[in-house]
Amino acid sequence: MKKELLVAGLDLGPRQFVLAAGRIQEPQRLVVQAVESVPAQGFEKEGLSDAVECADAVSRLVRQAERVLSARIGSAVVAFPAGQLKSFNANAAIPVQDPGVGINRHDVEKAISTCRSLSLDYDRQILHCFERGFAVDGQTGVKNPLGLSGKKLTVDLHLVTAPNLGVQSLTRVLTRAGLEAERLVLPGLGLAEAVLADVDRDLGVTLVRIGDSQMEVLIFDDGEVKETFLIPGGAEDIVESVSRSFKLPRVSAEHLLEQVSTVEELPEEQAVLPLRAGLGASVKTFPQGQVVHGVRAKAKDLLTRIQRRLEGNPVFRD
């Protein structure tokens, strides 16, 4: 029998660190066997704030998962903090090496390499490079240019970049915690692997990941990522809105939100049911319908931001 391969994924958030691990079993089936979390330390919305505290928390998290798995976790795929990422479209054109023979693999690789080099700032590095398409002598819409005849090859890419210093700092923290970063990725890609089927990607789908302070949008078409972007806002906005509307401390507002299971209009008999929020030694109650209405309004505002950003996007429109 082949040895089962252990894989792990790490997500560092401003509230908690989460590590999921499991084994790839025959026939190439991933079985998740441990999902552990610890309160976040040394990590804010903007990224690292205390390397020592963060490393200690990650180390504890890894040890927890190892006890469940009865195995050592040496590396993990790590979601890079979305707030530090930048994504954009870029294109570049090169002369085809031998137009008479046709475009070969070297031409394609040179076009992609040229586009990456010309588009990258000196203080950033590329985490992901997605091919949006090619053009041959001005003819657009080419998915695979190999074997086509032409004098000029143009490539259209979507790049996701991270700051060099941020990558170095995070890598050092993970090393201090005894964990190797197998790969740094856009957080939404992990979500896509979990919830999207191949047919979703092929037909075209827009995936939205609502984080604490950032919303990630990934647009898939023809089986591939065509564009990604970040929009300010997220779960923190909803907590802040509830805290302000109901004049509650943040902790009490979070407790109130934990009791909300829907943002849909409620029947009258359910709308009047009380939801409780602790205030130290006392408790305040609010009609469920009133809380749901406030949450729905803020959630609609967040989704409207996404809709506005998507309007006019060629990939989304198609």
Side-chain angles (χ1 to χ4, degrees), residues 279-300:
L279 288 170
S282 62
V283 175
K284 291 184 70 173
T285 61
F286 303 92
Q288 182 173 213
Q290 185 181 357
V291 179
V292 168
H293 176 77
V295 173
R296 182 170 60 251
K298 195 61 184 179
K300 183 178 180 180

Side-chain angles (χ1 to χ4, degrees), residues 195-258:
V195 303
L196 296 182
D198 289 342
V199 66
D200 297 320
R201 296 180 174 86
D202 292 338
L203 294 177
V205 65
T206 298
L207 177 70
V208 178
R209 177 183 181 269
I210 300 180
D212 287 327
S213 59
Q214 292 271 3
M215 297 181 289
E216 294 173 54
V217 180
L218 288 78
I219 302 176
F220 290 83
D221 193 33
D222 290 331
E224 304 292 339
V225 175
K226 297 300 182 182
E227 191 161 347
T228 70
F229 51 85
L230 301 174
I231 300 176
E236 293 286 343
D237 292 57
I238 297 178
V239 174
E240 182 180 345
S241 177
V242 170
S243 174
R244 185 172 57 253
S245 299
F246 296 98
K247 296 180 173 57
L248 291 171
R250 179 183 181 80
V251 174
S252 300
E254 291 176 346
H255 178 67
L256 193 64
L257 282 171
E258 290 172 357

Side-chain angles (χ1 to χ4, degrees), residues 92 107-119 129 155 157:
D107 294 318
V108 174
E109 292 176 351
K110 183 179 179 181
I112 293 174
S113 175
T114 300
C115 186
R116 288 170 59 111
S117 300
L118 294 177
S119 306
C129 175
V155 64
L157 302 177

